[in-house]
């Protein structure tokens, strides 16, 4: 069955002394287009996460975001970098002003933000690549499950649209021969009125009708259209491991080409009505196929 390109997946799990939450979202796109939003402590593994997405997702704009929740700190810690900065500033100040006495640690500890919560200093232990990738894999699996479910719904709707197309095509095929008979009779009546009693050359009229029938013949268009319907259904039944959205889009283009040609040859109100129905359904199909992976 086909897969949709729209989906969402989320997963969480332990990561070092903290907790990791990963969310993966996707929408339709012509190609695989990943966008990763990772905290600084996880950015060294961005390539690993990107590769996992690439191997499991063929098409779509995919956004992966992660958040690390650290445990609440039970105590305070010294910001050693800030202490060193304060000490250097005080040392330079004593030299420049010619002050006596050394730098007192007790004085530095009383300065702003020297003592801070331990978790704000990044003292919590980092997790491993394996822990990170386990959560990424779980979130991606959730995304794919939603894309599969949405793909099933799409396939059902697409098949319903195909049934409407087939019904309209069948009416056209059935109407086509009678349309030529009706057109021949109208042509004969018009010619007789113009001749106003003059004997009609039946052979010449038959030749004109034959030429007209050749110009208005739509058998080839309808035969190709039937083949495209078969190809479309076969693509819907393709293995879910294959991305078929582009193939479905190409088949729809060919179906629209045959429909337009049929419309240009219709010359009949009933046929034109069904041609319009087919164009409307093809447009609805195109809108849905844009979201197929």
């Amino acid at each position: 069955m086909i897969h949709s390109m729209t989906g969402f997946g989320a997963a969480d799990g332990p990561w070092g002394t903290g907790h990791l939450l990963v969310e993966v979202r996707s929408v339709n796109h012509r190609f695989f287009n990943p966008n990763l939003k990772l905290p600084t402590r996880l950015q060294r593994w961005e390539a690993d996460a990107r590769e996992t997405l690439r191997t499991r997702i063929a098409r779509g704009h995919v956004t992966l975001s992660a958040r690390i929740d650290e445990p609440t700190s039970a105590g305070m810690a010294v910001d050693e970098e800030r202490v060193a900065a304060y000490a250097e500033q005080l040392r330079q100040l004593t030299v420049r002003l010619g002050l006596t006495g050394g730098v007192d640690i007790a004085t530095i500890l009383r300065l702003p933000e020297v003592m801070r919560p331990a978790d704000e200093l990044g003292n919590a232990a980092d997790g491993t690549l394996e822990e990170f990738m386990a959560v990424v894999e779980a979130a991606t699996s959730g995304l794919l499950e939603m894309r599969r479910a949405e793909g099933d719904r799409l396939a059902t709707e697409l098949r319903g649209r195909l049934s409407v197309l087939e019904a309209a095509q069948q009416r056209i095929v059935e109407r086509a021969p009678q349309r030529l008979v009706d057109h021949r009779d109208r042509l004969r009546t018009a010619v007789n009125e113009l001749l106003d009693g003059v004997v009609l050359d039946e052979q010449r009229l038959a030749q004109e009708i034959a030429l007209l029938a050749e110009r208005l013949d739509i058998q080839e268009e309808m035969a190709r259209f039937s083949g495209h319907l078969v190809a479309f259904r076969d693509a819907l039944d393709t293995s879910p491991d294959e991305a078929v959205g582009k193939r479905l889009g190409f088949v729809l283009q060919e179906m629209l080409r045959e429909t337009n040609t049929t419309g240009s040859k219709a010359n009949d109100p009933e046929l034109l009505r069904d041609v319009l129905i087919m164009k409307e359904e093809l447009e609805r199909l195109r809108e849905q196929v844009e979201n197929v992976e």
Side-chain angles (χ1 to χ4, degrees):
M1 298 294 290
I2 61 174
H3 290 177
S4 169
M5 284 191 281
T6 301
F8 171 80
D12 61 277
W15 189 74
T17 56
H19 196 79
L20 179 64
L21 172 66
V22 173
E23 294 182 348
V24 188
R25 307 171 187 270
S26 68
V27 294
N28 60 313
H29 194 277
R30 292 180 61 193
F31 309 103
F32 171 64
N33 183 36
N35 179 29
L36 280 67
K37 302 176 181 178
L38 301 177
T40 302
R41 295 158 68 186
L42 296 175
Q43 288 179 358
R44 62 187 184 273
W45 296 323
E46 179 175 338
D48 300 272
R50 188 184 298 270
E51 180 64 15
T52 292
L53 295 176
R54 187 192 66 79
T55 57
R56 302 187 66 182
I57 300 172
R59 286 207 306 158
H61 178 77
V62 184
T63 301
L64 183 149
S65 59
R67 186 181 77 243
I68 302 171
D69 293 331
E70 301 285 10
T72 302
S73 175
M76 305 294 289
V78 176
D79 187 340
E80 296 183 9
E81 292 184 3
R82 193 175 295 270
V83 168
Y86 280 145
E88 179 61 21
Q89 289 177 356
L90 290 173
R91 187 190 65 78
Q92 292 179 7
L93 186 62
T94 57
V95 172
R96 187 165 63 250
L97 299 179
L99 301 176
T100 59
V103 178
D104 186 357
I105 185 64
T107 301
I108 295 177
L109 290 176
R110 288 195 295 269
L111 294 174
E113 297 187 3
V114 171
M115 300 295 296
R116 299 173 60 191
D119 56 325
E120 290 186 9
L121 299 176
N123 292 337
D126 280 353
T128 64
L129 171 62
E130 289 72 22
E131 289 176 321
F132 170 61
M133 292 307 300
V135 182
V136 170
E137 289 280 0
T140 304
S141 295
L143 169 76
L144 293 177
E145 182 59 35
M146 181 175 288
R147 285 164 62 112
R148 279 191 289 270
E150 179 68 11
D152 290 344
R153 187 195 66 78
L154 273 175
T156 299
E157 182 169 347
L158 291 175
R159 287 193 172 91
R161 301 289 181 195
L162 289 179
S163 297
V164 176
L165 276 176
E166 284 181 317
Q169 182 207 16
Q170 185 60 35
R171 290 193 297 270
I172 289 175
V173 171
E174 293 173 355
R175 171 63 184 165
Q178 183 60 41
R179 171 200 57 156
L180 292 177
V181 173
D182 293 345
H183 199 76
R184 180 200 62 190
D185 293 342
R186 288 195 300 270
L187 182 61
R188 183 186 297 274
T189 300
V191 170
N192 282 328
E193 291 177 355
L194 290 173
L195 290 177
D196 192 21
V198 178
V199 178
L200 175 64
D201 186 344
E202 291 290 343
Q203 184 176 358
R204 178 62 184 275
L205 179 62
Q207 291 176 348
E208 293 297 328
I209 292 175
L211 291 173
L212 180 64
E214 184 177 352
R215 289 198 303 270
L216 300 181
D217 182 55
I218 59 172
Q219 291 185 20
E220 290 186 11
E221 286 79 7
M222 290 295 94
R224 287 193 293 266
F225 192 91
S226 296
H228 297 327
L229 284 172
V230 173
F232 196 98
R233 280 203 165 88
D234 288 345
L236 289 180
D237 295 330
T238 301
S239 167
D241 295 330
E242 298 184 36
V244 299
K246 292 182 179 179
R247 189 189 316 169
L248 291 174
F250 174 76
V251 174
L252 282 178
Q253 289 179 358
E254 295 303 307
M255 293 168 76
L256 181 59
R257 190 194 313 278
E258 303 302 340
T259 302
N260 286 334
T261 304
T262 299
S264 67
K265 294 181 176 182
N267 198 27
D268 179 77
E270 291 186 35
L271 261 65
L272 285 172
R273 182 169 59 249
D274 282 316
V275 166
L276 288 176
I277 291 174
M278 292 171 69
K279 287 184 176 182
E280 290 174 356
E281 292 304 314
L282 287 170
E283 176 60 22
R284 295 188 179 105
L285 280 168
R286 184 192 63 79
E287 292 174 355
Q288 296 297 333
V289 165
E290 285 183 351
N291 200 35
V292 176
E293 184 178 18

